Amino acid sequence: MPPETSPGVWRNWAGNQQSTPVRTVFPRSAEEVAEQVRRAAEDGLTVRMPGTGHSFTGAALTDGVQLSPRELTAVRSIDTATGLVTAEAGLPLWRLNRLLEEHGLALANMGDIQEQTIAGASQTGTHGTGRDHAGLASQVVGLEMVLADGQKVTCSRTERPDLFAAAVVGMGALGVVTAITWQTVPAFLLRAQEEPMAWDEVLSRLDELEADNEHFEFYWFPHSEGCLTKRNNRVDGPREPLPGFRAWLDDEFLSNQVFGVAQRVTRRLPGSIGPINGISAKLLGARAYTDTSYKVFTTSRTVRFKEQEYAIPREHLVPALREIRAAFDRHGWRISFPIEVRVLPAEDAWLSMAHGRRTAFIAIHVYHRNEHAAYFEGVEQILTALGGRPHWGKMHTRDASYLETAYPRFADFTALRDELDPDRRFANPYLRQVLGD
């Protein structure tokens, strides 16, 4: 029986990207993916396989054949002795996390949401924050892919190592990823300590806070002195999760429901942004709890937004933050969303944002209905002057001519793309922007 197909418009989570494929297909195996790639070539159509749409860029868009990974969710193998776990591309991270927990395993580090598919998250370079543990790309040890000629291949650090180094953060430009092998670790608990702290104190203690904690990040609330710091460290136990009411109050009511109301109010009354941001920084007060790692790493987010994130050399972080804060006064920006700051050790994937250098990440957001261009472009100008690399799944204006100066292996990646996909079967406007044509 052939795979299911359907027509229709595809939209991303934020609602700022959409496309209308010629057809959307729901393959149930790598072999069916290969057949659809060959058929698309016969029809002269491009092919893309989106995940859950959590990218803010047009990375997933196609007006050709859209392959939905909905049916590609099997976990093929779990080896508790080695920690190697192979799962198909469409498996959501939240399901992977629960399955790993059942087998006494975990991902060593994660980003702050778990709604993405495992392929969508890894292909765009999703990361968390960490002193010793890098992002998702560094936990991938094997890929199964379908190339532009319809051939199914596998790669790893020992099998086709150049393809692996390129494709592990490849945006689907080299092929359709159909399965991923992860190097997991034994399950662990994290002790979370969250504490409000003033801007000057955070910046003066940044080196200490990073060095003393396995996972450190903070949020600055613009137009205020308020920051919220988050420190996550491994502990032996016991597990002491937040009481049910406190968890609901902080993570659902304040962080989502009240925050959502605040966004709607500030959209209508921009003059209220400063006072509301100051109140928000105080409402999200100090708390500590211990829980399963992924339950600490990830949070629920229901307020929709648009986001830009840049990765810069870690040594430039404090000057960059001071320059961004000065730009608020210089440009008169009125921003109701906090700015998020994270760090990561160097990674070796060719297009990882942390490739070859210890990295700091600065993420800026606006409410999804608000204008973003002037703010995003102003911050982008500051961060690109420092050699910043844009997150592949978040909004930016950089093109191949800039990115080839930011990534030492960029030319190697595009050369491999020329070899594997000369007809640009996997191209779309976003990939033409960032990789060239």
Side-chain angles (χ1 to χ4, degrees):
M1 187 171 69
E4 177 187 352
T5 64
S6 75
V9 176
W10 182 89
R11 293 181 178 85
N12 69 339
W13 176 82
N16 68 312
Q17 301 285 348
Q18 69 176 50
S19 61
T20 306
V22 169
R23 58 179 177 264
T24 298
V25 186
F26 301 83
R28 296 158 299 194
S29 66
E31 289 71 24
E32 288 188 356
V33 169
E35 175 57 32
Q36 291 302 318
V37 170
R38 289 191 290 267
R39 183 183 167 197
E42 293 169 0
D43 295 341
L45 298 174
T46 57
V47 180
R48 300 296 292 164
M49 187 165 77
T52 54
H54 273 271
S55 288
F56 301 86
T57 65
L61 303 183
T62 183
D63 58 5
V65 178
Q66 179 174 272
L67 302 178
S68 167
R70 188 185 68 187
E71 305 298 325
L72 294 171
T73 60
V75 177
R76 297 183 182 174
S77 64
I78 299 177
D79 188 330
T80 56
T82 64
L84 295 176
V85 176
T86 299
E88 292 181 340
L91 185 71
L93 277 168
W94 65 266
R95 284 178 54 188
L96 176 65
N97 284 327
R98 292 182 184 180
L99 189 70
L100 294 179
E101 182 181 15
E102 291 172 5
H103 288 81
L105 300 171
L107 295 172
N109 197 3
M110 289 193 65
D112 53 13
I113 62 170
Q114 57 175 342
E115 306 308 313
Q116 313 103 309
T117 62
I118 61 172
S122 57
Q123 282 292 287
T124 53
T126 296
H127 62 92
T129 188
R131 181 190 63 200
D132 310 309
H133 299 287
L136 290 183
S138 292
Q139 299 169 71
V140 174
V141 295
L143 295 173
E144 177 187 87
M145 305 170 56
V146 173
L147 303 181
D149 61 2
Q151 179 186 7
K152 184 179 77 171
V153 301
T154 56
C155 58
S156 67
R157 286 184 171 84
T158 56
E159 179 187 11
R160 302 187 70 160
D162 279 357
L163 175 59
F164 177 76
V168 71
V169 181
M171 296 175 284
L174 303 179
V176 179
V177 173
T178 51
I180 297 176
T181 299
W182 300 89
Q183 179 62 68
T184 67
V185 299
F188 59 98
L189 298 175
L190 282 175
R191 180 67 173 171
Q193 294 177 280
E194 301 177 7
E195 177 186 1
M197 196 176 290
W199 164 272
D200 286 337
E201 183 180 1
V202 173
L203 266 59
S204 66
R205 295 180 57 195
L206 198 53
D207 291 347
E208 166 205 337
L209 290 165
E210 180 186 351
D212 290 351
N213 295 282
E214 292 177 84
H215 306 276
F216 173 74
E217 64 182 303
F218 76 93
Y219 296 81
W220 171 56
F221 292 81
H223 318 291
S224 81
E225 298 300 318
C227 297
L228 178 65
T229 62
K230 295 188 174 186
R231 288 171 273 189
N232 298 330
N233 293 285
R234 296 187 185 210
V235 293
D236 292 332
R239 181 173 172 267
E240 296 176 333
L242 286 170
F245 177 74
R246 178 68 189 275
W248 172 85
L249 179 67
D250 289 356
D251 297 333
E252 294 300 328
F253 183 67
L254 293 177
S255 295
N256 283 305
Q257 296 180 36
V258 172
F259 187 65
V261 171
Q263 296 310 304
R264 293 189 288 275
V265 169
T266 55
R267 175 172 167 78
R268 295 184 177 185
L269 301 171
S272 67
I273 289 176
I276 286 179
N277 278 6
I279 292 170
S280 296
K282 293 174 182 177
L283 278 178
L284 298 173
R287 63 179 189 171
Y289 59 97
T290 301
D291 212 337
T292 308
S293 57
Y294 75 87
K295 296 178 182 178
V296 176
F297 283 137
T298 64
T299 57
S300 170
R301 292 191 178 182
T302 60
V303 179
R304 295 182 190 264
F305 53 85
K306 295 177 283 189
E307 182 177 0
Q308 174 180 277
E309 184 173 36
Y310 264 82
I312 61 174
R314 168 62 181 85
E315 61 268 22
H316 297 325
L317 177 56
V318 171
L321 290 171
R322 294 193 186 282
E323 178 62 19
I324 289 171
R325 181 163 186 176
F328 272 82
D329 294 330
R330 191 164 62 247
H331 297 292
W333 296 330
R334 306 300 294 271
I335 303 300
S336 56
F337 258 80
I339 293 177
E340 183 180 20
V341 179
R342 294 177 285 180
V343 293
L344 214 65
E347 296 192 307
D348 54 10
W350 289 358
L351 294 189
S352 164
M353 291 167 287
H355 175 82
R357 66 190 191 194
R358 186 156 188 84
T359 295
F361 297 86
I362 299 176
I364 62 174
H365 316 70
V366 299
Y367 185 51
H368 73 113
R369 292 179 177 172
N370 288 355
E371 176 55 44
H372 68 275
Y375 177 43
F376 282 18
E377 290 170 10
V379 172
E380 185 175 49
Q381 185 176 9
I382 293 168
L383 299 180
T384 53
L386 300 172
R389 298 165 178 167
H391 192 300
W392 300 113
K394 299 178 184 179
M395 299 170 72
H396 66 93
T397 67
R398 298 300 90 182
D399 61 15
S401 64
Y402 172 84
L403 293 165
E404 68 182 358
T405 70
Y407 285 92
R409 303 301 299 269
F410 189 86
D412 295 319
F413 185 97
T414 56
L416 189 58
R417 181 182 181 224
D418 289 341
E419 175 190 337
L420 295 177
D421 188 13
D423 297 326
R424 299 295 186 258
R425 187 66 47 216
F426 304 121
N428 67 8
Y430 179 70
L431 293 183
R432 285 194 287 272
Q433 172 192 330
V434 299
L435 298 176
D437 202 5

